[in-house]
Amino acid sequence: MTRLGLLELDEIPEEYHYLFTDDYLGDRHIFRVWAHNPELLEATLEYLNTLYDQLTPRQKELVILTVARARGARYEWHQHVDIARDKGVMTDEMRAIGGGDFSGFTDEEFVLLQYAEAVATGDVTDQIHAALEDAYTPAEIVAIGLIVDFYVGLCNYVAAVELPFEGGEFVGWTPTDENIGALFA
């Protein structure tokens, strides 16, 4: 059971209802908790949208999945398995990230995943940073770092409020197509 209630739409001030449409957020538990402070919900989403615009949707999801796995954050992993499918991340790639194997990714994505994991665990080496600089611009490196930072904090917050999974049970660190289909139909 979550430590903060999941608000229903009729419990949220009407001026913020647009945030919960399918065109915007939909019905994710994290947003229903954040709606206890709708002003901060709206501002946080504006910040996230700015961050998200700095990378491709696929790159963003790869980073988020890597952070979730590095932090052992089951809620974020579960939620982004569902989201990443629509952003070009294949199930076998999710299983690889879930198993800690980045070897099947392109060189550019490999270094992105290594860097995201290293930032999430506080273990960035000069070698990892230099490899990132060879593949990404300074502006992209700032964006990658801030997305990782945001999701590390979010993983900690979600654990603190004990959010339940969308779709019921945990999809697993190495999800199958069948399990994904059953939970996120």
Side-chain angles (χ1 to χ4, degrees):
M1 186 64 173
T2 183
R3 291 180 171 144
L4 283 174
L6 303 176
L7 294 181
E8 298 296 331
L9 194 59
D10 63 356
E11 298 175 285
I12 301 165
E14 193 170 327
E15 68 213 63
Y16 298 100
H17 284 194
Y18 78 95
L19 295 172
F20 294 89
T21 63
D22 287 337
D23 292 336
Y24 204 85
L25 293 177
D27 186 23
R28 300 275 180 191
H29 292 167
I30 185 66
F31 304 125
R32 291 174 59 197
V33 166
W34 285 355
H36 284 280
N37 190 327
E39 218 175 308
L40 284 180
L41 168 63
E42 185 177 53
T44 300
L45 294 173
E46 288 176 20
Y47 172 68
L48 279 176
N49 284 331
T50 301
L51 276 180
Y52 291 168
D53 287 344
Q54 307 299 306
L55 300 174
T56 68
R58 176 181 163 81
Q59 288 171 326
K60 174 192 65 126
E61 290 304 321
L62 291 173
V63 167
I64 294 167
L65 288 169
T66 302
V67 170
R69 183 60 181 120
R71 303 295 298 181
R74 293 164 43 108
Y75 177 86
E76 280 307 311
W77 176 267
H78 182 87
Q79 185 178 41
H80 282 276
V81 162
D82 183 29
I83 295 168
R85 302 179 303 144
D86 296 330
K87 307 299 182 194
V89 181
M90 307 306 293
T91 306
D92 61 325
E93 293 173 319
M94 292 180 213
R95 284 194 295 270
I97 293 170
D101 178 11
F102 306 150
S103 64
F105 291 90
T106 66
D107 290 347
E108 185 178 280
E109 289 178 342
F110 178 84
V111 73
L112 175 69
L113 299 177
Q114 273 196 319
Y115 187 77
E117 181 179 62
V119 173
T121 60
D123 222 7
V124 178
T125 65
D126 289 341
Q127 181 182 9
I128 291 171
H129 195 275
L132 191 74
E133 285 183 312
D134 288 342
Y136 294 90
T137 67
E140 290 168 325
I141 293 170
V142 169
I144 294 163
L146 289 175
I147 290 171
V148 172
D149 182 56
F150 179 86
Y151 276 90
V152 166
L154 183 59
C155 291
N156 292 336
Y157 175 78
V158 165
V161 297
E162 296 185 343
L163 284 179
F165 301 120
E166 283 88 356
E169 66 187 68
F170 180 53
V171 69
W173 296 114
T174 55
T176 64
D177 289 323
E178 294 78 23
N179 197 20
I180 291 171
L183 291 172
F184 304 115

